[in-house]
Structure formats: C-alpha cells, structure tokens
Amino acid sequence: MTTQPNHSKKGTALITGASTGIGAIYADRLAKRGYDLILVARQQARLDAVATGIRSESGREVAVVVADLNVAADVRRVEAILSSDASITLLVNNAGVGATSSVLESDADKMDAMIGLNITSLARLAGAAARGFAARGTGALINIASIVAVAPEILNGVYGGSKAFVLAFSQSLHHELKDKGVQVQVVLPGATRTEFWDVAGLPAEHLPQNIVMDAQDMVDAALAGFDQGELVTIPSLPNAADWQAYEEARQHLVPNLSLSEPAPRFNVDRAGRN
Ligand code: NAP
C-alpha cells in the first residue's frame, strides 16, 4: 500500500520573501494553522533552513522556490505556480525592499529595482493568484504594504509611493473580488525589527525603540486582523475608528472627484475664453 502525502485541508500558502523577517514568521504561523507552504525568495540556504525547521515542528509539506522577483522570468515562473496549483488558497505578497535615502540622493537603478519588486512583481503575482481564486470561488490574498502608504513623508519617496500602490491596489482588488469569495487584506506595518532596516541603510537599533515593533508581534496582530476580516490592518493602531474616519473622509470626496465643470473656486472664465 502506498502512503499518500498528508495534504492540508487548509490548502497551501505561497509566501514571498519567506527566507527571513516577516515572511519567515508568516511561514511559521501559517504552518501552525495547518497550511502547507511554498516559500519563495532568492537565498536557497536560508529558505531551506526555514523549511526544515517548519517541517520538523509542524509536519506540514513545505516546498522551496528560489526566485529573484526582480527577474521577469522568475516572476513568470512563480505566476505559473499560482496559476496551475489549485491547492494554493492563500498568497502572502511580502517580499519588498525599502530605502531611507532622500529621492535626490538615491540611485535611479536602485529605485527602479524597488518598483520592480514592490509593485510589478506584487501586482503580477496577485493577479495570477486572484484569477485562480475567483474561478474557484475561494482564496485569500495578504499584501504587505507599510504605514508609509499613508505617511509617505517619513522615508524614501519611491518606497512610500510603492506602498501607496499596494494599498490602493488592494482596496481595488477587494472591491473587485469581495463578491467572488476572495478575501483581501493589506497590512500596513510600522517600523518592525528585521533586516529590512540594514538593507535600507539604517539598522533598526538606530531608531527610537518606542516606534519599533517585534516582528512576531507584528505578524500575530496582522493575522488577528485577517481573522477579523479587516481589509486594512495597521498593527499598532489602537483605535480602529480612526482608520474608519480616514476612510469615510476619502469616501466623502468620491462624488466630487469627476465632474463636467471646474470648481467655482478656480474662477475659470469659460464664457470669455474666445
Ligand atoms: P527583510 O527581513 O529584509 O526580508 C525581506 C524578504 O524579501 C527576504 O526574505 C528576502 O529574501 C526577500 N527578497 C528581497 N528581495 C527579493 C527579490 N528580489 N526576490 C525575491 N525575494 C526577495 O524585510 P521584512 O521587514 O521582513 O520585510 C517584508 C515586507 O514588509 C516588505 O515588503 C517590507 O516593505 C514590509 N515592511 C517592513 C517594515 C519593517 O520595518 N521591517 C515596515 C513596513 C513594511 P532573499 O534575500 O533570500 O531574497
């Protein structure tokens, strides 16, 4: 008698940037929740170490995919997995890089690579996953943005802009997918203690420690928000009503954002134009 692999009833979660930091913690937590895993990042040795630890602790199936999400062929390879593997029920779009330099002092190629990873690959992978989820009428997408999505003055402007994209894209995806059985969550972490800050050029030890959250706390809060069905989760925000008020202010603008006439306050002299 052949033994069948013990596939998870929860299905499989594909997590990008799972070799360290926030992504590795999502991997641990999702395995404990009963998901099988596909872990994606560039560094094979680190991915293998994360996978081995999770397999022995949780007994779940863990596959590793070495891919550089700044390389178009690698992004397409991960898209193909998302499109063809119907056991995938959750995508955590987490891989991302930041910068602490000003735009004036930043290298244009590095900014371009940041856009490629934080925006292009995220949008392509989300699209591939969403098409499968919508067709099957079930699935969930977790996109990792940042508080700089709504506070872009804090760090590098391209980084802030890339995370504002992730927020807007997720809001739009939620609008498109909410009646198709697909859950969307966008997480806006504040400063979180990971290697992100070393890569971005300012180690987290140099930040005021009262603004830096432990990565395990961040992920546990974000997953609690996911369980509560939140679209936008800000792990440190004490009062959810504050986000609600911000969202209501945005919605209040909507009826006046596209009209046939300029606003009277601009005094456009339409009659005297010729
Ligand atoms: P991290 O510790 O630096 O981890 C980043 C992960 O992304 C690593 O697994 C890295 O693995 C992977 N990665 C980087 N470039 C990649 C590429 N080209 N292709 C594939 N994988 C790549 O950072 P983190 O703090 O966990 O960040 C995770 C997410 O949280 C990012 O989107 C970040 O913007 C967001 N975030 C972080 C903070 C913070 O304060 N830490 C705050 C707000 C939002 P390899 O090197 O093996 O490829």
Side-chain angles (χ1 to χ4, degrees), residues 17 19 22 42-43 68-69 94 145 159 163 189-190 192 194 196-197:
S19 62
I22 291 167
R42 293 168 301 179
Q43 300 184 65
D68 182 341
L69 298 176
N94 163 76
Y159 181 59
K163 293 303 187 176
T192 308
T194 68
F196 169 91
W197 290 94

Side-chain angles (χ1 to χ4, degrees), residues 10-235:
K10 285 264 191 186
T12 301
L14 188 147
I15 307 165
T16 67
S19 62
T20 184
I22 291 167
I25 296 168
Y26 265 105
D28 172 76
R29 299 305 197 264
L30 292 173
K32 286 180 175 143
R33 285 173 172 230
Y35 287 89
D36 290 331
L37 301 176
I38 301 174
L39 309 180
V40 180
R42 293 168 301 179
Q43 300 184 65
Q44 169 125 38
R46 283 183 137 190
L47 282 172
D48 286 342
V50 172
T52 304
I54 290 174
R55 271 188 216 110
S56 67
E57 228 186 283
S58 68
R60 300 266 39 109
E61 302 266 315
V62 186
V64 154
V65 175
V66 177
D68 182 341
L69 298 176
N70 269 131
V71 172
D74 285 14
V75 177
R76 291 208 168 83
R77 197 153 45 82
V78 181
E79 278 180 84
I81 294 168
L82 288 163
S83 303
S84 62
D85 184 347
S87 79
I88 296 173
T89 53
L90 173 63
L91 167 64
V92 183
N93 245 327
N94 163 76
V97 286
T100 51
S101 56
S102 71
V103 171
L104 295 184
E105 288 166 345
S106 296
D107 176 74
D109 290 336
K110 278 196 177 156
M111 298 297 102
D112 193 34
M114 187 191 297
I115 291 168
L117 179 62
N118 294 7
I119 297 182
T120 309
S121 80
L122 181 138
R124 292 195 68 121
L125 298 185
R131 281 185 281 278
F133 294 161
R136 297 191 286 278
T138 184
L141 279 161
I142 298 175
N143 291 328
I144 307 299
S146 161
I147 54 108
V148 299
V150 290
E153 298 86 354
I154 292 178
L155 292 176
N156 172 278
V158 176
Y159 181 59
S162 75
K163 293 303 187 176
F165 170 87
V166 178
L167 173 59
F169 178 58
S170 303
Q171 288 169 315
S172 177
L173 274 181
H174 167 69
H175 180 70
E176 190 177 340
L177 297 171
K178 64 182 187 310
D179 299 327
K180 295 185 164 57
V182 184
Q183 182 181 355
V184 177
Q185 183 197 27
V186 56
V187 181
L188 277 58
T192 308
R193 206 169 285 106
T194 68
E195 286 174 20
F196 169 91
W197 290 94
D198 304 84
V199 178
L202 176 70
E205 307 87 83
H206 297 260
L207 298 169
Q209 290 304 297
N210 65 328
I211 67 155
V212 184
M213 193 178 288
D214 177 81
Q216 304 210 34
D217 288 338
M218 200 295 284
V219 173
D220 287 337
L223 281 169
F226 179 75
D227 293 340
Q228 289 168 18
E230 281 192 349
L231 167 58
V232 179
T233 295
I234 302 178

Side-chain angles (χ1 to χ4, degrees), residues 245-266:
Y246 180 81
E247 179 59 16
E248 276 160 21
R250 187 176 76 85
Q251 293 295 345
H252 180 73
L253 292 172
V254 171
N256 288 319
L257 291 179
S258 183
L259 297 172
S260 59
E261 292 175 16
R265 67 198 167 91
F266 296 119

